[in-house]
């Protein structure tokens, strides 16, 4: 009786091994076809890039993985750092070129004043103009939207036309750290106040499937300190956590990049954040193949 049980156990194990080998071969074949551009998307694909300050350097790594594996998207919506990286990508910049610029960039190029004094967003706008010149959103080769918040009406504002540099700087405009960006009657600040992971906006703009990158999945952090910087950081952490849940509900593929040990206002760890994004992007390829392509 024991020999019979051993026989069937070995047989079941062999079948399992054979199934795993077939599945791996099938995945490798589909991955090769994806790289060659021979797989079809199931519909309109939206890419959502969430906010996270300097942690947004990880977005570049994810885009590099997408380029290597042939992952395509039809539109991109970004908040804050996600809007900055997404805007450059939608202009046609390659991840390696965005990386090269970021590698040389100093945080003082973005904001040189004391942290407690509101600065202009000209440094953010300059990143756009340095790389792609003065462009209008509606003229970009890939459909793009930057999400901002209007202080006057307390509404979410979707910037889908007009000057790209102004739209991105508005989406990245962290209150107190930067002066609001004035557009007509709008006083615009960071889109993360109301929608830090705008996957729902991808849906609104026509996406059938949404791939989302969250570069700050461990954002749920408070503080017991009373210093100004600690209080401001904790306040934004709470707001961003509250404004991120919709993104998870509206995403088909969620790519989480754990950047918890890095600071949202510092470039320290730039290469490691990029590498973490790249690895997270690669790890998401099987799920993207399964849900997005046929």
């Amino acid at each position: 009786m024991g020999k019979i049980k051993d026989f069937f156990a070995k047989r079941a194990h062999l079948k399992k091994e054979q199934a795993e080998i077939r599945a791996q071969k099938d995945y490798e074949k589909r991955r090769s076809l994806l790289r060659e551009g021979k797989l079809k998307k199931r519909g309109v694909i939206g890419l959502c890039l969430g906010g996270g300050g300097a942690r947004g350097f990880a977005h570049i790594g994810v885009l590099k993985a997408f380029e290597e594996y042939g992952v395509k998207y039809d539109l991109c919506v970004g908040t804050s750092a996600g809007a900055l990286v997404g805007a450059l990508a939608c202009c046609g910049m390659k991840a390696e070129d965005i990386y090269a610029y970021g590698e040389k960039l100093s945080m003082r190029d973005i904001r040189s004043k004391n942290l407690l004094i509101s600065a202009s967003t000209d440094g953010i706008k300059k990143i756009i103009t340095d790389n792609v010149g003065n462009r209008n959103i509606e003229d970009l080769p890939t459909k793009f939207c930057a999400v901002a918040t209007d202080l006057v009406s307390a509404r979410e504002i979707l910037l889908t036309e007009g000057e790209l540099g102004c739209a991105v700087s508005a989406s990245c405009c962290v209150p107190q750290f930067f002066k609001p960006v004035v557009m007509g009657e709008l006083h615009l600040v960071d889109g993360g106040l109301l929608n830090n992971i705008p996957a729902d906006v991808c849906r609104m703009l026509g996406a059938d499937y949404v791939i989302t990158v969250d570069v700050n999945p461990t954002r749920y952090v408070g503080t017991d300190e009373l210093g100004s910087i600690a209080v401001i950081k904790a306040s934004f952490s709470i707001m961003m956590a509250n404004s991120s849940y919709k993104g998870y509900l509206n995403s088909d593929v969620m790519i989480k990049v754990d950047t918890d040990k890095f600071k949202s206002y510092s470039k320290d760890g730039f290469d490691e954040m990029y590498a973490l994004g790249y690895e997270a992007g690669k790890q998401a390829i099987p799920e993207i193949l399964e849900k997005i392509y046929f």
Side-chain angles (χ1 to χ4, degrees):
M1 192 69 177
K3 290 183 178 181
I4 295 175
K5 285 184 177 181
D6 288 343
F7 170 78
F8 282 107
K10 289 179 180 179
R11 185 179 179 183
H13 180 71
L14 179 60
K15 285 185 176 181
K16 182 180 178 181
E17 283 188 339
Q18 291 173 338
E20 289 174 349
I21 291 171
R22 286 195 298 270
Q24 182 62 29
K25 287 183 177 179
D26 180 63
Y27 165 66
E28 290 174 356
K29 181 180 179 180
R30 284 174 53 76
R31 188 178 62 187
S32 296
L33 291 173
L34 177 64
R35 279 177 166 160
E36 295 167 9
K38 295 180 179 180
L39 293 183
K40 293 183 179 180
K41 301 192 301 295
R42 295 184 185 276
V44 176
I45 309 304
L47 175 64
C48 168
L49 301 179
R55 294 184 174 106
F57 289 128
H59 284 310
I60 309 172
V62 175
L63 293 180
K64 177 62 175 177
F66 284 3
E67 289 175 7
E68 286 190 2
Y69 284 85
V71 176
K72 306 294 184 184
Y73 50 91
D74 302 294
L75 61 93
C76 176
V77 179
T79 290
S80 196
L84 178 57
V85 175
L88 296 175
C90 287
C91 286
M93 278 189 74
K94 296 296 184 183
E96 62 182 358
D97 295 323
I98 302 175
Y99 171 87
Y101 183 88
E103 191 176 32
K104 296 180 291 184
L105 185 69
S106 166
M107 297 307 285
R108 288 186 175 275
D109 295 330
I110 301 174
R111 190 187 190 288
S112 59
K113 290 186 177 182
N114 183 292
L115 287 177
L116 296 179
I117 301 176
S118 297
S120 164
T121 56
D122 289 347
I124 299 172
K125 183 177 179 180
K126 188 174 184 296
I127 294 174
I128 298 297
T129 56
D130 278 354
N131 285 282
V132 298
N134 294 310
R135 306 280 294 272
N136 283 339
I137 298 174
E138 58 270 31
D139 298 329
L140 302 188
T142 300
K143 190 174 182 177
F144 174 73
C145 173
V147 178
T149 301
D150 178 30
L151 289 177
V152 178
S153 63
R155 292 186 300 113
E156 177 183 339
I157 302 297
L158 308 183
L159 300 168
T160 57
E161 58 184 22
E163 189 179 342
L164 180 64
C166 286
V168 170
S169 60
S171 184
C172 294
C173 183
V174 179
Q176 179 57 37
F177 291 101
F178 295 103
K179 298 174 183 177
V181 175
V182 178
M183 291 186 185
E185 297 181 352
L186 302 175
H187 293 180
L188 300 179
V189 294
D190 198 312
L193 296 183
L194 293 177
N195 199 350
N196 195 47
I197 302 178
D200 61 315
V201 179
C202 288
R203 302 280 187 196
M204 291 169 57
L205 296 180
D208 298 304
Y209 296 88
V210 179
I211 303 171
T212 293
V213 183
D214 183 3
V215 296
N216 189 19
T218 56
R219 61 175 56 80
Y220 306 93
V221 179
T223 184
D224 58 0
E225 299 179 27
L226 298 177
S228 298
I229 299 298
V231 170
I232 290 173
K233 284 176 60 182
S235 298
F236 272 98
S237 176
I238 293 167
M239 283 189 292
M240 298 307 178
N242 186 58
S243 70
S244 297
Y245 78 96
K246 284 192 301 182
Y248 278 71
L249 294 176
N250 285 278
S251 300
D252 296 287
V253 177
M254 175 62 72
I255 301 174
K256 300 178 185 179
V257 189
D258 188 358
T259 58
D260 181 56
K261 68 179 181 179
F262 305 104
K263 298 175 181 177
S264 62
Y265 54 86
S266 173
K267 191 186 170 185
D268 292 345
F270 170 78
D271 284 324
E272 191 174 351
M273 285 187 275
Y274 171 83
L276 287 171
Y278 177 72
E279 288 302 320
K282 288 202 302 182
Q283 291 297 319
I285 298 302
E287 186 178 6
I288 291 172
L289 272 172
E290 178 185 353
K291 294 182 177 180
I292 307 296
Y293 289 89
F294 65 93

